């Protein structure tokens, strides 16, 4: 079952994120890894700043979550995590699909450049990587993350975003 999460799910979301983020250990740059990967305070701040989580429940328990955040004229997908033991069963795909129904705006997603599986996951659902220059601009414009994270991340965008860019170029 897919459902929108609220503040009462904070502890479960925290647990899912920190279980799933183990995938990054030894893969992302060492200076970007920490344990827990995301603290309760960071998570609470993200939710207070407008990240709305949706989750997938199995036997009345959340096993995967993904956040959505509306920023200016785009929608960001933030913090996509499925419990390690529950991966590769299509849960990520289902949550991604419900998030996409929540917006009519272009969608952007940022992930670690080294997280090849995450890049492949989004590409499978029609997202494409933006150029390195666009990536830097987008991360500075729509995200609040440190410079080092900008350096070590990639941004993928949906069709709507690329179409809007093309229109801007042809209107110019
Ligand atoms: C990225 C992530 C959220 C995807 O969640 P997921 O539930 O495993 O996603 P899905 O099952 O929909 O798809 C993952 C893969 O399993 C495959 N799959 C889906 N259903 C399947 C099934 N029934 N049998 C076998 N494989 C299946 C998909 O085709 C996909 O293959 P790919 O790796 O070649 O793209 C998850 O891997 C995760 O939490 N990773 C760690 C954190 C992370 O990287 N987050 C992204 C940050 S933005």
């Amino acid at each position: 079952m897919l459902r929108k999460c609220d503040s009462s799910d904070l502890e479960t979301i925290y647990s899912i994120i920190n279980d799933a983020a183990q995938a990054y250990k030894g893969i992302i740059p060492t200076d970007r890894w920490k344990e827990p990967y995301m603290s309760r305070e960071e998570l609470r701040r993200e939710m207070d700043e407008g990240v709305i989580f949706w989750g997938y429940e199995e036997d009345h328990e959340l096993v995967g979550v993904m956040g959505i955040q509306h920023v200016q004229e785009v929608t960001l997908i933030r913090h996509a995590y499925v419990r390690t033991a529950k991966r590769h069963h299509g849960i990520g795909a289902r949550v991604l699909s419900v998030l996409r129904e929540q917006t009519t705006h272009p969608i952007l997603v940022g992930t670690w450049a080294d997280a090849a599986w995450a890049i492949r996951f989004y590409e499978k659902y029609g997202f494409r990587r933006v150029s390195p220059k666009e990536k830097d601009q987008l991360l500075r414009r729509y995200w609040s993350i440190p410079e080092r994270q900008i350096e070590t991340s990639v941004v993928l965008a949906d069709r709507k975003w690329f179409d809007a860019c093309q229109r801007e170029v042809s209107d110019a």
Side-chain angles (χ1 to χ4, degrees), residues 77-117:
I77 289 178
R78 308 284 317 277
H79 314 302
Y81 294 97
V82 170
R83 276 204 186 278
T84 312
K86 299 289 179 182
R87 278 194 210 135
H88 305 295
H89 289 95
I91 294 173
R94 279 181 216 143
V95 189
L96 178 64
S97 141
V98 81
L99 289 193
R100 296 179 90 167
E101 291 166 9
Q102 310 305 311
T103 184
T104 53
H105 290 167
I107 304 177
L108 300 173
V109 55
T111 191
W112 297 109
D114 291 329
W117 64 86

Side-chain angles (χ1 to χ4, degrees), residues 42-161:
E42 281 175 82
L43 176 59
R44 198 167 292 120
R45 196 171 56 237
E46 291 286 80
M47 291 167 90
D48 289 346
E49 287 174 2
V51 177
I52 300 159
F53 281 93
W54 283 74
Y56 182 85
E57 271 187 356
E58 235 178 49
D59 300 327
H60 307 288
E61 200 178 315
L62 283 173
V63 292
V65 292
M66 267 185 215
I68 189 167
Q69 186 175 26
H70 305 290
V71 185
Q72 300 170 47
E73 65 287 3
V74 300
T75 297
L76 309 181
I77 289 178
R78 308 284 317 277
H79 314 302
Y81 294 97
V82 170
R83 276 204 186 278
T84 312
K86 299 289 179 182
R87 278 194 210 135
H88 305 295
H89 289 95
I91 294 173
R94 279 181 216 143
V95 189
L96 178 64
S97 141
V98 81
L99 289 193
R100 296 179 90 167
E101 291 166 9
Q102 310 305 311
T103 184
T104 53
H105 290 167
I107 304 177
L108 300 173
V109 55
T111 191
W112 297 109
D114 291 329
W117 64 86
I119 296 172
R120 193 174 57 232
F121 170 77
Y122 292 114
E123 284 177 344
K124 187 171 253 171
Y125 298 104
F127 287 79
R128 276 162 44 212
R129 280 173 76 155
V130 305
S131 73
K133 194 172 151 208
E134 284 166 331
K135 178 262 295 189
D136 289 348
Q137 289 167 347
L138 292 170
L139 288 171
R140 291 199 181 101
R141 183 161 174 195
Y142 299 121
W143 276 259
S144 308
I145 55 171
E147 249 339 91
R148 175 74 177 130
Q149 191 169 340
I150 292 177
E151 250 173 61
T152 49
S153 294
V154 292
V155 169
L156 296 101
D158 69 351
R159 172 86 187 265
K160 201 171 249 182
W161 186 84

Side-chain angles (χ1 to χ4, degrees), residues 104-106 159-172:
T104 53
H105 290 167
R159 172 86 187 265
K160 201 171 249 182
W161 186 84
F162 283 101
D163 286 351
C165 279
Q166 208 132 44
R167 273 199 303 277
E168 266 174 40
V169 172
S170 57
D171 289 349

